[in-house]
């Protein structure tokens, strides 16, 4: 093998160790918040896959799991308008405590739109959790209830976050080298 994907990172922003430590804390925060009530965890895939897989194993509450598929970035590094809901959830959320999880909160478009849709399903409560928050980038008025890390406005990959579906498997979160963002052969 001549080239490892980890070498495509300019620098590591959050290490694997830091992520796992913070997720353990988040699990405790979520347990304390819901006081033993059952929670329906809704993961926005693909981005939240890795985060949710680790987070739910730190939650001691009864949990139901489902996924929703949303598209907004379409293989570029800048947001392209409103997200499309591609695959809907199958769980009945009426009267249920829902915890919606995404990898990163950036402009806020994705989560605010998905929240609007889930509210029409009449959950008992609806909270949101993200691993990363780029709070300087918000274009809509939206904050998550549980946040792993606040990060600066840089394009990051790893631990579920992708560029054109690549790098999701990296165990840490890092800044992708600028020359690898939107290379001509991928457009
Ligand atoms: P928002 O709708 O602008 O809040 O963006 C949320 C979505 O954009 C996330 O679900 C991610 O898929 C994607 N996204 C935002 N920033 C990044 C990044 O730095 N790297 C990879 N994906 C990102
Ligand atoms: Mg993405």
């Amino acid at each position: 093998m001549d080239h490892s994907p980890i070498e495509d990172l300019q620098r590591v922003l959050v290490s694997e160790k830091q992520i796992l430590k913070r997720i353990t804390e988040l699990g405790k925060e979520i347990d304390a918040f819901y006081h033993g009530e059952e929670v329906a965890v809704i993961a926005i895939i693909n981005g939240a896959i890795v985060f949710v897989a680790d987070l739910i194993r730190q939650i001691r509450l009864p949990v139901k799991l489902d996924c929703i598929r949303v598209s907004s970035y379409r293989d570029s590094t800048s947001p392209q308008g409103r997200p499309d809901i591609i695959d809907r959830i199958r769980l009945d959320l009426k009267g249920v405590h829902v915890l919606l999880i995404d990898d990163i909160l950036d402009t806020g478009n994705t989560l605010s739109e998905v929240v609007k849709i889930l509210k029409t399903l009449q959950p008992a409560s609806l909270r949101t959790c993200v691993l990363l928050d780029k709070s300087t980038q918000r274009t809509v008025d939206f904050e998550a209830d549980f946040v792993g890390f606040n990060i600066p406005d840089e394009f990051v990959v790893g631990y579920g976050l992708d560029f054109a579906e690549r790098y999701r498997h990296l165990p840490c979160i890092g800044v992708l080298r600028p020359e690898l963002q939107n290379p001509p052969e991928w457009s």
Side-chain angles (χ1 to χ4, degrees):
M1 193 176 68
D2 59 346
H3 166 256
S4 161
I6 201 101
E7 293 165 21
D8 292 352
L9 298 183
Q10 187 178 56
R11 65 193 166 95
V12 172
L13 208 60
V14 195
S15 71
E16 181 177 13
K17 205 173 155 194
Q18 287 172 310
I19 295 170
L20 298 179
K21 178 172 177 277
R22 183 68 189 119
I23 285 179
T24 307
E25 293 167 3
L26 276 175
K28 291 197 175 107
E29 287 174 32
I30 290 165
D31 280 347
F33 182 82
Y34 287 103
H35 299 292
E37 299 258 23
E38 185 171 64
V39 177
V41 168
I42 307 296
I44 301 183
I45 57 173
N46 296 329
I49 279 184
V50 181
F51 175 40
V52 166
D54 282 340
L55 179 63
I56 55 175
R57 285 177 288 173
Q58 298 303 325
I59 296 177
R60 304 287 164 250
L61 307 164
V63 165
K64 282 183 178 174
L65 177 68
D66 206 349
C67 298
I68 191 166
R69 189 180 281 273
V70 173
S71 160
S72 58
Y73 269 55
R74 300 194 191 90
D75 294 354
S76 90
T77 54
S78 59
Q80 315 209 332
R82 294 176 122 217
D84 303 324
I85 308 271
I86 298 170
D87 192 7
R88 287 174 185 281
I89 40 175
R90 288 150 186 84
L91 273 183
D92 181 6
L93 299 184
K94 191 165 182 182
V96 170
H97 294 292
V98 173
L99 181 60
L100 177 63
I101 304 196
D102 204 357
D103 50 1
I104 185 166
L105 181 55
D106 188 22
T107 63
N109 276 306
T110 306
L111 268 183
S112 66
E113 286 296 319
V114 177
V115 159
K116 268 186 219 158
I117 291 161
L118 294 190
K119 275 188 178 157
T120 66
L121 304 175
Q122 299 176 282
S125 69
L126 178 51
R127 297 288 190 284
T128 55
C129 174
V130 292
L131 179 63
L132 305 174
D133 186 353
K134 284 188 201 172
S135 52
T136 56
Q137 289 307 100
R138 217 73 90 237
T139 57
V140 296
D141 185 18
F142 188 91
E143 295 306 327
D145 298 289
F146 303 94
V147 174
F149 300 93
N150 283 293
I151 62 161
D153 175 32
E154 286 184 280
F155 193 79
V156 292
V157 295
Y159 200 78
L161 292 116
D162 73 306
F163 176 64
E165 298 304 328
R166 292 183 167 106
Y167 308 108
R168 293 196 197 274
H169 66 305
L170 300 183
C172 61
I173 291 159
V175 179
L176 189 61
R177 295 201 340 225
E179 67 270 27
L180 294 172
Q181 299 180 19
N182 289 322
E185 68 270 26
W186 288 2
S187 57

